[in-house]
Amino acid sequence: MVNTYDHIFMVGDVLVSPDIINVKFCCDLDKCHGQCCIEGDAGAPVTLDETMEIENVLDTVWGDLSASAQAVIDKQGVAYTDEEGDLVTSIVGGKDCVFTCYENNCCLCALERSYRNGKTGFVKPISCRSEEHTSELQSLRRI
């Protein structure tokens, strides 16, 4: 019997299954209803460049954001440094990303929706895009 722990590798301080490299993940929005945007204790990790891109498209997505999200952005901006020292998107009520918007009981990303509607050139932070995770991790070597 093969010990599956022999094949797990580390990315930073996180243990990762090799399946993430070989198995393509695609969000099934009909099943999850966008839970990744509303569950958790911090926003999505972002880079400084992504923060600037978000600020550049903020006026375009502003009308899609809830009044609570707009108030958070007005108070602290589109991103903040979380307890672990990471730059993350701002959140509402301790969990919802400020860029969530709802349609048919499903949580969507206002940034991505504007991009798909041809209104902006910025999709959303790479940490929110599942298809890029696989290609980035394919370049990592097993430790």
Side-chain angles (χ1 to χ4, degrees):
M1 177 174 276
V2 176
N3 182 352
T4 57
Y5 292 107
D6 290 340
H7 302 288
I8 291 177
F9 57 95
M10 289 189 76
V11 177
D13 61 351
V14 176
L15 293 174
V16 180
S17 166
D19 291 342
I20 197 164
I21 295 172
N22 302 318
V23 178
K24 182 164 173 77
F25 169 78
C26 183
C27 177
D28 188 345
L29 208 51
D30 290 332
K31 289 184 180 177
C32 75
H33 303 286
Q35 289 298 307
C36 60
C37 297
I38 55 178
E39 291 299 326
D41 59 358
V46 289
T47 65
L48 285 174
D49 288 341
E50 287 173 326
T51 301
M52 288 189 296
E53 290 282 347
I54 292 169
E55 289 171 350
N56 288 338
V57 301
L58 190 56
D59 287 343
T60 304
V61 300
W62 190 257
D64 291 333
L65 306 181
S66 69
S68 298
Q70 291 173 352
V72 169
I73 293 170
D74 282 341
K75 184 177 180 181
Q76 73 181 33
V78 298
Y80 70 102
T81 303
D82 70 6
E83 292 178 3
E84 297 175 0
D86 297 320
L87 186 62
V88 295
T89 58
S90 291
I91 55 176
V92 177
K95 65 176 193 168
D96 294 24
C97 176
V98 291
F99 297 104
T100 58
C101 57
Y102 291 86
E103 187 175 295
N104 300 325
N105 282 338
C106 192
C107 176
L108 302 173
C109 176
L111 297 168
E112 183 176 11
R113 185 159 68 176
S114 287
Y115 172 81
R116 290 183 183 270
N117 289 333
K119 295 179 180 177
T120 69
F122 178 73
V123 183
K124 59 184 173 180
I126 196 163
S127 66
C128 300
R129 295 185 273 164
S130 61
E131 61 276 3
E132 280 85 0
H133 293 304
T134 300
S135 62
E136 280 185 359
L137 287 172
Q138 286 174 340
S139 65
L140 295 175
R141 301 278 187 242
R142 190 174 63 194
I143 296 175

